Amino acid sequence: AIPEVYKATKDSDASVKAAAAKTLGMIGPEDKEAVPTLTGLLKDKDDSVKSAAAEGLGYMGDKAKGAVSDLRAAAKDLDNKS
């Protein structure tokens, strides 16, 4: 199931990518590619994908602490748009 989730993070449909990001976060950091994949999605052009990636990283707690600076940058970007 995990390969399909990773494939969905590259889908052209933002809602599919967002759902995959949340799912990946719920699966957890046991998969060593989860945090880097979600960190990459923080730079997506679609705000719903960025938000879902942040939520996914939030599910991981301390395991995602390496993504803090990227989370801050994404939050700043989202704040600048509102």
Side-chain angles (χ1 to χ4, degrees):
I2 292 179
E4 289 81 15
V5 175
Y6 281 106
K7 184 177 178 183
T9 65
K10 296 177 172 101
D11 198 276
S12 61
D13 185 328
S15 63
V16 172
K17 283 197 282 191
K22 288 182 185 179
T23 301
L24 196 53
M26 288 183 224
I27 290 170
E30 290 76 28
D31 188 319
K32 62 184 176 183
E33 293 301 315
V35 172
T37 298
L38 290 172
T39 301
L41 289 174
L42 291 172
K43 297 173 178 87
D44 195 88
K45 64 182 178 185
D46 189 278
D47 291 344
S48 67
V49 175
K50 290 179 189 178
S51 295
E55 186 176 339
L57 287 164
Y59 291 136
M60 296 185 180
D62 289 346
K63 302 286 186 182
K65 63 184 172 186
V68 170
S69 63
D70 293 298
L71 280 164
R72 286 188 181 131
K76 185 177 180 181
D77 182 53
L78 289 169
D79 284 345
N80 288 338
K81 292 181 179 181
S82 50

